[in-house]
Amino acid sequence: MFKRILIANRGEIAVRIMRSSREMGIETVAIYHEIDRTAQFVNYADYAYRIEGETPKDAYLDMTQIIEIAKISDAEAIHPGYGFLSERAEFAKAVTDAGLKFIGPSHTSIEMMGNKTRAREIMFNAGVPIVPGTKEKITDTDRAIEIATEIGYPILLKAAAGGGGKGMRKVYESSDLVPSLEAAKREAMKAFGDESVYIEKYIENPKHIEIQVLADEHGNYIHLGERDCSIQRRHQKVIEEATSTVLTPELREEMGKVAVEAAKACNYANAGTIEFLLDKNKNYYFLEMNTRLQVEHPVTELVTGINLVKEQIKIAYGEVLSYKQDDIKLNGHALECRIYAEDSFNGFLPDTGKISYYRQPAGYGVRVDSGVETGSEVTIHFDPMLAKLITFGRDRIEAINRMEMALRNYKIKGVRTIIPFLLAVMQHPEFRYGYFDTGFIEHSFDFESLNRMKNEHEEIVAAIATWGWKMTQNANLATDTQPKISKWKEKNLYMRRLV
Ligand code: ADP
């Protein structure tokens, strides 16, 4: 096995990869920008090397520096985590060219799946159902009008180089198509440096269902079932779960087989995810393939009992998969909430600052993958996700109830987080019953209820302060205020649901 590996990432995922590496007896090398010098992942690593960059983010994207450090530190392999360089084919190639092992798929697989139109073409040829639309970028507006009319409005204009939920534009009628096309091209150019856009049919109220696959370098492929990632905000996942409430065992098996075919179509080796949209009639369509470890991988780990990072490392070392498809049994239910440093009560504005107090929940069935602790600085330089809270239960309701309890016990002071919002989702009847799709936050979630909860919370804080003050003024008042205490108690119960 490898003796030492470098983790080309930061935050919670760097810590998570280091944990599994250490368990396997592998030493870890961290790279960090000055701004992260006291971060948890830097302390956790066996060795840590500083990297430079014009901005902190640039430092983590500097392939040359990172590969140089891998060589200096005698690391044999590089794990890219997710984000940053994880889906850059040229990085995977440069790592391999430097005589190191890239813990991920080959650069050719990354390249094949990196461009959405190319990926659609490859999947179509492999017999994988794709969302109706074009398989090449739009160059001719007349042809675009024809295609849109053929598949029917509404349609979605998407950036071929898109990612992170960016670069999508919904078009409802033909008169909007041409101006939308121009705007979409401009947006795509600005966000990705590539103006190519293509057309997809807009699937109404779909579920986002993705299948985890594992493949070794010897041609063995398995799938580990699905994750339902339909709770999204601005097309970005917030809550994920395994398994999905809408998949029958038959459909799971069918989609699993299709996902394996999709992975084979790009000669995939290592862990990867095939994303699908599932419509109301249970038709599924390939959306894209993520050629890396996903943020939401822990829910799959909990229901399968398989440590995906360990598998990634073993595959990269050249080992044969130690599981066959028949060995994969899905057990219980797992939920993941992404803990973003954003203000739930103020349009999810990112918040920054020093974490003055941090206490994470624990207990049976509760897992926290976190990159922060008391004293950590949350800056504008990186993604605002601080941690992931994951719960496991014998069934979905147990996992939800456990999540509710864990969210209440999660104390983060100094920066605002979306914990109040996540709690409100856990209590939402449509979520609890499993009746939700990707439009849940937009259509079903009642932001007014969140604001009402906030106002009550503030009232309660004021009431407690007044009551406390009165108590110190006159001990006799204690009896007078008794009714208020019970009123407060009643409200306090409500408040505890909030924070
Ligand atoms: P990105 O790569 O930017 O994350 P994806 O293609 O993976 O974009 O899509 C992200 C999300 O956007 C999906 O999970 C879904 O909610 C929505 N979406 C994408 N394509 C469609 C479509 N054709 N119809 C309806 N919703 C879509």
Side-chain angles (χ1 to χ4, degrees):
M1 186 38 71
F2 299 121
K3 288 193 179 50
R4 192 176 293 162
I5 66 170
L6 181 143
I7 289 96
N9 216 299
R10 61 180 298 285
E12 70 85 19
I13 196 61
V15 178
R16 191 258 168 276
I17 296 165
M18 287 172 195
R19 281 199 183 118
S20 285
S21 308
R22 188 163 288 173
E23 209 181 304
M24 298 169 82
I26 302 169
E27 289 185 334
T28 55
V29 180
I31 47 151
Y32 69 96
H33 180 269
E34 175 63 18
I35 202 169
D36 279 334
R37 77 187 175 285
T38 57
Q40 200 183 18
F41 75 95
V42 181
N43 292 330
Y44 198 86
D46 295 300
Y47 306 91
Y49 290 78
R50 211 173 81 187
I51 43 170
E52 315 277 341
E54 216 161 280
T55 66
K57 195 172 158 199
D58 290 340
Y60 291 97
L61 290 171
D62 190 327
M63 306 188 208
T64 317
Q65 257 188 104
I66 295 171
I67 293 172
E68 200 47 47
I69 290 173
K71 287 196 204 149
I72 293 169
S73 65
D74 280 334
E76 294 152 85
I78 299 186
H79 196 307
Y82 56 71
F84 294 116
L85 295 167
S86 61
E87 286 181 294
R88 294 268 186 96
E90 67 267 40
F91 182 59
K93 184 166 188 312
V95 171
T96 316
D97 289 350
L100 305 163
K101 191 76 199 191
F102 181 72
I103 304 176
S106 70
H107 69 91
T108 42
S109 299
I110 299 177
E111 207 168 322
M112 284 166 99
M113 292 296 110
N115 181 288
K116 293 193 179 195
T117 45
R118 182 147 182 234
R120 278 166 65 77
E121 172 98 56
I122 293 168
M123 290 305 154
F124 179 79
N125 293 336
V128 175
I130 61 172
V131 183
T134 57
K135 292 188 290 301
E136 60 291 315
K137 67 176 184 183
I138 302 163
T139 44
D140 178 353
T141 34
D142 290 339
R143 182 81 190 110
I145 294 168
E146 248 174 66
I147 292 165
T149 314
E150 226 170 85
I151 62 173
Y153 290 89
I155 56 125
L156 208 54
L157 294 172
K158 292 175 80 167
K166 282 189 233 126
M168 279 181 237
R169 219 162 227 272
K170 196 169 166 187
V171 184
Y172 295 89
E173 48 188 314
S174 59
S175 57
D176 285 343
L177 187 59
V178 177
S180 297
L181 200 54
E182 289 315 309
K185 279 186 186 173
R186 275 198 307 275
E187 275 168 27
M189 190 63 196
K190 201 165 158 231
F192 311 107
D194 175 355
E195 65 154 25
S196 318
V197 292
Y198 68 102
I199 293 178
E200 264 184 23
K201 175 155 186 66
Y202 183 80
I203 310 289
E204 300 282 352
N205 309 111
K207 280 274 211 183
H208 175 115
I209 304 289
E210 57 185 38
I211 308 277
Q212 176 71 53
V213 293
L214 275 182
D216 63 22
E217 294 173 352
H218 312 281
N220 301 302
Y221 290 80
I222 56 169
H223 72 84
L224 303 185
E226 81 281 11
R227 293 185 285 262
D228 186 329
C229 312
S230 303
I231 305 289
Q232 302 181 349
R233 209 187 49 208
R234 295 190 284 269
H235 305 303
Q236 281 215 284
K237 302 160 190 168
V238 189
I239 299 171
E240 303 97 342
E241 59 186 299
T243 54
S244 168
T245 53
V246 295
L247 252 61
T248 57
E250 295 73 36
L251 186 55
R252 174 171 302 121
E253 199 183 321
E254 187 184 323
M255 289 179 77
K257 278 189 182 147
V258 170
V260 163
E261 286 313 310
K264 284 182 180 166
C266 62
N267 297 318
Y268 204 79
N270 216 282
T273 298
I274 322 289
E275 297 190 333
F276 295 98
L277 288 182
L278 182 73
D279 74 11
K280 277 174 283 188
N281 303 319
K282 305 266 170 95
N283 298 309
Y284 55 91
Y285 307 97
F286 169 83
L287 196 57
E288 66 168 343
M289 178 167 189
N290 287 318
T291 52
R292 55 171 163 83
L293 189 69
Q294 301 269 96
V295 175
E296 59 274 20
H297 75 277
V299 292
T300 300
E301 297 186 321
L302 291 179
V303 296
T304 58
I306 294 175
N307 182 328
L308 285 167
V309 170
K310 273 192 186 176
E311 294 305 319
Q312 286 194 293
I313 296 173
K314 289 199 282 186
I315 292 168
Y317 192 68
E319 288 188 10
V320 174
L321 271 188
S322 48
Y323 303 92
K324 301 243 173 320
Q325 191 62 58
D326 285 347
D327 299 329
I328 309 303
K329 302 271 180 282
L330 305 179
N331 169 43
H333 199 95
L335 270 180
E336 175 181 279
C337 283
R338 299 189 185 195
I339 311 295
Y340 285 111
E342 291 173 353
D343 188 352
S344 305
F345 304 111
N346 191 11
F348 296 107
L349 266 187
D351 201 16
T352 54
K354 198 190 196 82
I355 298 183
S356 53
Y357 180 75
Y358 180 83
R359 195 191 73 201
Q360 63 187 38
Y364 183 72
V366 176
R367 165 174 166 181
V368 185
D369 281 16
S370 161
V372 293
E373 53 202 349
T374 300
S376 294
E377 286 283 349
V378 180
T379 67
I380 49 151
H381 297 291
F382 305 108
D383 184 271
M385 197 184 77
L386 305 178
K388 302 178 316 208
L389 176 57
I390 309 116
T391 58
F392 177 76
R394 277 163 61 94
D395 55 30
R396 187 166 183 270
I397 281 298
E398 190 177 52
I400 293 178
N401 290 342
R402 194 161 279 155
M403 180 62 81
E404 214 183 311
M405 182 268 305
L407 283 166
R408 278 194 212 129
N409 291 343
Y410 210 151
K411 304 289 178 208
I412 304 176
K413 306 268 180 247
V415 287
R416 293 183 188 91
T417 72
I418 65 165
I419 290 176
F421 165 75
L422 295 167
L423 254 175
V425 176
M426 290 305 130
Q427 293 165 4
H428 198 287
E430 286 176 32
F431 178 74
R432 292 187 79 89
Y433 288 120
Y435 298 135
F436 60 89
D437 53 52
T438 56
F440 173 82
I441 294 181
E442 207 182 322
H443 303 300
S444 305
F445 188 75
D446 175 15
F447 279 92
E448 267 311 300
S449 72
L450 201 59
N451 279 325
R452 274 197 304 277
M453 281 159 97
K454 183 191 175 218
N455 293 341
E456 295 212 14
H457 169 76
E458 281 166 0
E459 262 177 43
I460 296 158
V461 172
I464 297 166
T466 316
W467 177 74
W469 180 79
K470 277 190 181 168
M471 290 288 278
T472 59
Q473 295 305 299
N474 186 347
N476 295 336
L477 272 177
T479 11
D480 298 349
T481 52
Q482 208 59 42
K484 271 197 191 140
I485 300 170
S486 53
K487 180 88 178 138
W488 167 74
K489 257 191 183 165
E490 186 187 297
K491 278 195 169 177
N492 188 33
L493 275 178
Y494 196 32
M495 180 185 75
R496 286 181 48 192
R497 299 159 77 114
L498 249 186
V499 192

